[in-house]
Amino acid sequence: MTSINVNGKTYELKDVPDDTPLLWVLRDHLGLTGTKYGCGVAECGVCTVHLDGVAIQSCVTEVGEVGDSKITTIEGLSEDGSHPVQKAWREHGVPQCGYCQVGQMMMAAAMLRSNDNPSDDDIDSEIWNICRCGTYPRIRAAIKSAAKEMQSK
Ligand code: FES
Ligand code: FES
């Protein structure tokens, strides 16, 4: 049996092989469906979650690799959608179809932990997630708004 800590809660996983991708544990076993599936090979970023605050791709992370580390999904980023990134995303009306946006926000939130004043170049190099709807300019603007709010605290 494997146990994992997700959004501050410990879950015991029965009959889940250690090589199961974390993405499917989150979605199918824990019902945390905010995290999405796209490419399955760490190339689109849509499945991004945090492992001890660092952005990882859950499609290529085996649940057995997680150990005692703490996982955060979009459901745990804040209790009520009040994380600066979530607020900025609403303010700027970032999503179009919306499918990629959870991954974009999780990537942005992780980046802002280590860089609270990102330049366009920082954003372009660190947020490599794919958006088929081309919302990149609004993503950039929202990240800058979130950074401002985080600096003012
Ligand atoms: S589904 Fe994980 S990076 Fe694309
Ligand atoms: S908003 Fe549609 S893929 Fe990004």
Side-chain angles (χ1 to χ4, degrees):
M1 191 192 296
T2 305
S3 70
I4 55 170
N5 185 294
V6 182
N7 300 333
K9 199 170 156 191
T10 300
Y11 296 87
E12 305 293 340
L13 302 172
K14 290 184 195 136
D15 303 324
V16 178
D18 276 359
D19 62 356
T20 307
L22 176 61
L23 173 62
W24 301 121
V25 172
L26 295 172
R27 290 184 57 86
D28 295 347
H29 295 270
L30 307 186
L32 297 170
T33 54
T35 307
K36 306 297 187 216
Y37 171 72
C39 64
V41 290
E43 290 200 349
C44 73
V46 76
C47 67
T48 301
V49 298
H50 297 176
L51 183 76
D52 290 336
V54 175
I56 59 154
Q57 281 60 62
S58 60
C59 67
V60 292
T61 303
E62 296 180 1
V63 69
E65 294 172 42
V66 171
D68 294 333
S69 297
K70 294 186 185 342
I71 304 287
T72 306
T73 67
I74 189 71
E75 290 88 350
L77 193 60
S78 68
E79 283 181 5
D80 53 1
S82 63
H83 186 284
V85 164
Q86 292 170 307
K87 284 164 68 181
W89 247 247
R90 286 195 296 275
E91 206 178 289
H92 289 269
V94 176
Q96 195 161 314
C97 81
Y99 196 80
C100 73
Q101 297 293 331
V102 162
Q104 307 278 6
M105 285 190 281
M106 294 306 284
M107 198 72 118
M111 179 185 72
L112 288 168
R113 285 168 71 100
S114 56
N115 180 356
D116 69 357
N117 189 20
S119 64
D120 284 346
D121 283 350
D122 293 339
I123 294 170
D124 291 348
S125 64
E126 290 189 44
I127 312 291
W128 50 262
N129 303 41
I130 292 170
C131 176
R132 296 288 182 204
C133 300
T135 62
Y136 303 111
R138 293 202 295 272
I139 288 171
R140 242 187 252 135
I143 289 174
K144 289 189 173 178
S145 291
K148 264 193 205 132
E149 184 180 341
M150 289 167 93
Q151 286 161 19
S152 68
K153 282 187 176 167

